[in-house]
Amino acid sequence: MNTKKSLSIQKKLLLYFLAIAVAPVIITGACAIYFATTPLLYFALNPVKNHVVSYANHIRQELYNVREDILYASRLPGMSRLLTFYQESSDAERVNLQEDMVNSFVELLSKRKKYHYISYIDETGRETVRVNFSLPDSWRVIVGDQLQNKSHTDFFINSIGLPLGEVYVSPTILNEENGILETPYTEVIYLATPVQDINGQIKGIITIALRAEVLFKPLVEWRISQYPSAESFVVNEKGFYIAHSNSDKTRGKQHLLEMKWSIFSDYPAEISGTLLQSKEDGFLETRDSVLVYTRCSPVFLQKQHSWGIVASVSRTKVYRTIDHFKYMFAAILIVTLAMVIFIAYFLSKQFTLPITRLRMGAKLISGGDLAHRIDVTAFDEIGELAYDFNLMTEQLQGLYQNLEDKVSQRTEMLQKAMEDLKHKDELLEESNQATLDFLKNLSIQLRTPLTSVIGQLSLLEKNIYGELTSKQQIAIKKIHKNLFETFKWLDGIIRISTLASAQTSGDLRVNKQDFSVSQSITQAIHSIQYALSEKNMLLKFESADDLSIYSDKEKIDEIISSVLHAVVHHPLTHDGIITITVSSEKQEAIIVSKIIFSTEYPESEKIDDIYKALTEPFIHSPTFFNITNLSICVSRALLIILNGSLEVGFGKEKNVISITISF
Amino acid sequence: MTDKPEILIVEDNNDNLETFSTFLEFFKYPVRTASDGEEALKSVAAKKPDVIFLDLSLPKIDGWEVARRIRSDSSNANIVIIAFSAMALPAEIERALQAGCNRFVSKPLPPETLIEEMNKLIQKRNG
């Protein structure tokens, strides 16, 4: 099975969760941090903006209030009477008319407490009625010679020609009395409006000298809590500071309009220009500071002056606030990410926990622990799978138990059978040994009496017991021959049985030594001389090549002797020629027997019979059973033990048998 | 007196003993017999034969022990001992040769074989 290496389900789930959750969080967080800079800047500057706006409102409101007061004063009935009837009145009446106005002015000053003085100036520029006010609550009516001619003043010149209801507002200026700066210096703003009599004739102006500190005191007093070191200033349309939170930069004297009291000395031209020209609220950033500005002139003043209020805060501090927010965002983002990762890990763990349990359980079960059951904690799909798996395992356990019982039963039977077999094997071994012993004993028991029989026959044959008749001699020879064949037959059977038993019991020993095969052949030939002469056969041993081998001499002797006996005692070999050759090169001996057939058998049958007698282990035919067959069997058995071989074949002529013994 | 070697036949089977002795005596060999190992040793001690036909399966003292004891006496070195036995197993043959027998012939054997083997060995001994 071709399987790819893969991540675990838990890891995959974790990755999916992270891909789904973390990416949006990171993108959102990063975008929020990136795009929040401007709103955050606005947010950071909000207190500053509030400050300047509040301050601008304050200035506007104050100026409106002053404007209302001066217009109110211009429309007082006493003022109208004064203007209408002053010229025609007597001195006493004039005093009364003036007193009415003084009372009205005193009332206004006492009520407002922020004006330096209020005066009526006739159309020639001469003060007619004037009341000064000093804090905390003292007023003084200026009369007689103390009344001044103000015809040269800017406020008179600029206001006398105004339409009724219009108010002139001067720049901030140090108050002068009789052409001399009042001491201590009192910075004031003059507001003036023309007045008319009941006939609609302009009869002069009313002037209110507003103490400038009323407008500009908050500039110093009001502090921005977030930016305590912030500087604020009011600048006029030319760029000069009208008021500044830094007292050093406030214009001290109206005739000393130098650049050091100008925004141009503190800010680049571009910034300064923007501050002066901008009609809207806004902010500017310089290298070191952020400037928040707004216009503060009331509408009625806009034709005459354009005042702007500017608050300057340290850029570092502003951005520190922004950075603080960014860091806070980043911290929140990191915490969120950590939480997301933790939750993703927790969820993936939770999701895969049943699968892991199932897998571990399956591993234990596959490892052989069929008694193990997987905990089914919930009946979802995995739970059902685990339940089914448990059922399957239970069935498997049952089957396995059954199988084990059967195996155990079979093993027991097998063991018993093995024991029986072993017992039988032992019995067989014993039996084999007994057979071997019996065969050995049989061989001994046969050989000993046979020795006696053969000996006695020899005695008879040699006429030791007296002269035998010719028939007796023939009978003795027949007995001798048959006895010899019977012995060979019995001996062959015993020999084969002995070899078989010895092979089964492992009681076969091979004693190897160097010896001459040719010599063994010569000895074997000697032992068959009697048979050769009996069958009138000729044997040629062409021992041109002396074959020496390293083998078991006794067994080789027996093999050669057995093969020669097999050939000589073959029932069909008569009057033939046996030729033996040896080859040291091929390590073999070849025994060739040329058979001269009698006329008793058809030739084809004879050939088969000859071959069968030499090749087949046993022939169940009384005609052909003899030493040949047994001897060949013994020879083959011995050659197998010695790792040799015996091949039987025909020569070119069909009556020539070739037996090749390879050692 | 004859120049034929004097033979001691040691065989517990009386029939064989009689057969061999009859055969040998017919051919004028001086023959002595013994039917067990002890008797054989006494006979050798009494007079050393030229040849001993020694059956290996003997009562009292077996043929291997008889051969070993005869060979233990260096004066018996010239005695030709031809062992014969029905137990023609290689181990037993080897044992017989190691005990001092000059030749081993397995039963059954015609008496002529013994004479042939004896003649070969004597011829060989005499060089």
Side-chain angles (χ1 to χ4, degrees), chain A residues 314-492:
Chain A
S314 164
R315 183 187 170 90
T316 309
K317 284 193 176 178
V318 170
Y319 277 94
R320 189 182 295 158
T321 308
I322 294 169
D323 289 342
H324 172 74
F325 278 107
K326 282 186 176 179
Y327 294 149
M328 198 167 68
F329 272 138
I332 291 167
L333 180 65
I334 290 166
V335 171
T336 309
L337 275 175
M339 285 176 70
V340 164
I341 291 168
F342 174 75
I343 290 167
Y345 176 78
F346 178 75
L347 285 176
S348 65
K349 188 94 179 166
Q350 281 297 108
F351 283 150
T352 55
L353 189 61
I355 299 173
T356 306
R357 280 185 189 151
L358 188 62
R359 185 176 65 79
M360 296 301 290
K363 194 174 180 181
L364 281 172
I365 289 161
S366 68
D369 184 9
L370 292 175
H372 180 79
R373 295 290 178 274
I374 297 157
D375 289 337
V376 180
T377 51
F379 258 92
D380 52 10
E381 288 85 341
I382 301 292
E384 285 179 9
L385 181 62
Y387 180 76
D388 292 341
F389 195 83
N390 282 343
L391 273 180
M392 188 183 76
T393 307
E394 199 172 327
Q395 288 175 354
L396 196 65
Q397 190 183 18
L399 287 170
Y400 192 74
Q401 189 58 49
N402 193 20
L403 192 67
E404 268 191 344
D405 290 346
K406 282 185 179 175
V407 168
S408 176
Q409 210 175 350
R410 293 283 191 277
T411 307
E412 201 177 330
M413 287 168 70
L414 197 66
Q415 276 178 348
K416 199 176 173 186
M418 286 290 284
E419 281 171 13
D420 287 350
L421 197 65
K422 193 179 173 186
H423 182 63
K424 282 176 183 173
D425 199 39
E426 284 169 3
L427 286 175
L428 189 67
E429 202 174 321
E430 283 175 18
S431 173
N432 268 338
Q433 192 56 46
T435 307
L436 196 61
D437 292 344
F438 170 76
L439 289 168
K440 282 180 188 174
N441 195 37
L442 180 66
S443 175
I444 293 163
Q445 295 308 320
L446 278 172
R447 284 166 188 268
T448 303
L450 271 172
T451 303
S452 180
V453 172
I454 290 168
Q456 290 299 325
L457 285 171
S458 291
L459 291 176
L460 288 170
E461 216 172 2
K462 300 288 182 189
N463 292 324
I464 290 170
Y465 291 138
E467 234 11 84
L468 298 178
T469 62
S470 59
K471 284 187 177 179
Q472 285 172 329
Q473 287 282 357
I474 292 165
I476 290 294
K477 279 185 179 177
K478 282 183 179 176
I479 291 167
H480 202 159
K481 175 177 165 283
N482 283 296
L483 183 66
F484 181 76
E485 287 187 357
T486 304
F487 166 70
K488 277 289 178 190
W489 178 74
L490 281 172
D491 197 45

Side-chain angles (χ1 to χ4, degrees), chain A residues 436-437 439-448 451 487-488 491-492 494-496 498-499 502 507-509 511 552-559 634 638, chain B residues 54-57 64 83-97 103-109:
Chain A
L436 196 61
D437 292 344
L439 289 168
K440 282 180 188 174
N441 195 37
L442 180 66
S443 175
I444 293 163
Q445 295 308 320
L446 278 172
R447 284 166 188 268
T448 303
T451 303
F487 166 70
K488 277 289 178 190
D491 197 45
I494 291 165
R495 186 64 181 133
I496 286 173
T498 306
L499 286 172
D507 191 23
L508 270 175
R509 278 177 290 185
N511 299 309
D552 189 318
K553 184 177 183 305
E554 294 292 337
K555 289 185 175 63
I556 294 295
D557 286 349
E558 189 175 350
I559 290 163
V634 169
L638 288 168
Chain B
L54 178 63
D55 184 19
L56 294 173
S57 300
W64 294 281
F84 58 94
S85 172
M87 291 186 285
L89 295 173
E92 285 150 359
I93 297 166
E94 184 63 29
R95 218 174 121 208
L97 296 175
R103 184 76 180 157
F104 178 90
V105 184
S106 65
K107 289 180 182 178
L109 72 163

Side-chain angles (χ1 to χ4, degrees), chain A residues 632-644:
Chain A
I632 291 293
C633 285
V634 169
S635 299
R636 281 187 198 280
L638 288 168
L639 278 165
I640 287 167
I641 294 164
L642 299 174
N643 294 322

